[in-house]
Amino acid sequence: MAEGWKDFVAGTVGGFSGKLLDYPFDTVKVLLQTQHSLDSPAKVNSQQPPNPITNSPLHSTIQQAKIMTKPPPSAAVTSSQPLVYRGAIHCLTHTIQTRGFLSLYTGLPSPLLGSMAENAVLFLSYGEVKRLLGETKEKELTLFQLAMAGAAAGGITSWVLNPFEVIKCQMQVMNSDAANGTPGHRKYKGFVDCVLQTVKNDGIAKGLYRGQTSLMLREIPGNFCWYGVYEGVCLSQMPEGGTKLDLGPSTHLIGGAAAGVAYWTAFYPADTVGSQMRANPNYASRGFIEIFIEIYRKEGLPGLYRGWGITAIRAAPAHALIFAMYEQTIAMFRRWDPETRDCLDRRSGSISHSS
């Protein structure tokens, strides 16, 4: 089997395993990120009939006086848009109590397929970029080159992942308390209906690829850190005079856990903006910078990093499982390869690194 296909299949296995583990926490993350934004665009854009009183010069003067004395934006947001969820634990327990445990898996088919496709393309692209940079069985790349290969792979993968992210976010928030009664917010019968409605109403560019800029801003630096940290852990645990073939599953689990936290920490605000753009069709015509500034103006850094805690916590075991399953699958393929079987059999249970 060609090296590229080994990476593709192993990435699929890793993506499937990791997503099953972390999806409930991803639902909580999206609910936390979008709880303030689901109703604001619709209210702003709603058309009201002209009112002769509110259009009068006297009314305008009164309004100007009110603006000069109104409290800061953060206080205004707090009073007019109270938080639906006080934090990650409250969001998790409240969702289970009001909608049931299985509601945490609402929209699972899209991200499950997306995670399999994402990791398949990600590991395939990573392997190909490494080979383009000159990696061979005799020559290893530097840690910086490996991280750059990860960044390039992340940029490529974002184009495969974004449609799944759009469907996932819309399915996750459609029954949330923040979305109930929101004008313009759609309800879907299921995964296929969500895809069809999105394409029908918004098209492909503004529908399935809504938030593509935010996703690239998440994936490129995120995968630079993801692969950089993982490869760094592997190199630090390599025995003196040994190779990556000498590393065991524990190293891959530790490296994957550290890489997962690094990935989500790299530029988490991009994911916050992206979740809001994908979850609500009313944001389709608004740009990344505009939404980023609006969140920061109203809520500051806490608003941009809402949900980061639970995301980092769930990323550690999920990404540990992704890398461990990837490496185990690669090891299985290489045991079938006559050229490497003898080398791998010299140590029972040895795992090789993707090349």
Side-chain angles (χ1 to χ4, degrees), residues 173-233:
V173 305
M174 68 175 179
N175 292 321
S176 68
D177 289 353
N180 287 338
T182 301
H185 198 78
R186 305 182 189 127
K187 299 288 185 179
Y188 307 103
K189 299 176 183 177
F191 170 72
V192 175
D193 182 54
C194 185
V195 174
L196 294 176
Q197 283 200 50
T198 301
V199 173
K200 178 181 178 181
N201 292 284
D202 305 315
I204 296 199
K206 292 185 177 180
L208 296 180
Y209 279 94
R210 182 166 64 246
Q212 175 63 27
T213 299
S214 67
L215 189 62
M216 292 187 70
L217 289 174
R218 185 190 83 183
E219 291 295 305
I220 294 175
N223 280 288
F224 178 92
C225 295
W226 200 54
Y227 281 109
V229 169
Y230 176 75
E231 298 286 6
V233 171

Side-chain angles (χ1 to χ4, degrees), residues 23 65 71 92 96 103 137 148 154 168 182 196 209-210 241 248 302 307 315 318 325 350:
Y23 188 73
L92 180 65
I96 293 174
S103 67
K137 292 181 179 180
M148 288 301 295
K168 179 204 74 171
T182 301
L196 294 176
Y209 279 94
R210 182 166 64 246
M325 294 302 295
S350 66

Side-chain angles (χ1 to χ4, degrees), residues 3 97 206 312:
E3 291 297 315
Q97 290 172 356
K206 292 185 177 180

Side-chain angles (χ1 to χ4, degrees), residues 2 47 64 77 82 106 157 209 215:
Q47 296 296 323
Q64 288 294 331
V77 171
T106 300
T157 306
Y209 279 94
L215 189 62

Side-chain angles (χ1 to χ4, degrees), residues 90-134:
H90 177 248
C91 180
L92 180 65
T93 56
H94 178 77
T95 302
I96 293 174
Q97 290 172 356
T98 58
R99 297 161 54 197
F101 177 78
L102 292 180
S103 67
L104 295 173
Y105 283 92
T106 300
L108 177 62
S110 174
L112 188 60
L113 293 173
S115 181
M116 293 165 66
E118 173 194 12
N119 284 279
V121 175
L122 183 62
F123 281 103
L124 171 63
S125 302
Y126 180 60
E128 292 301 319
V129 173
K130 287 195 298 180
R131 285 184 275 276
L132 286 175
L133 291 176

Side-chain angles (χ1 to χ4, degrees), residues 49 53 60 78 89-90 118 125 132 136 159 192 269 271 279:
I53 298 178
S60 299
T78 303
I89 300 300
H90 177 248
E118 173 194 12
S125 302
L132 286 175
T136 64
W159 293 94
V192 175
D271 187 70

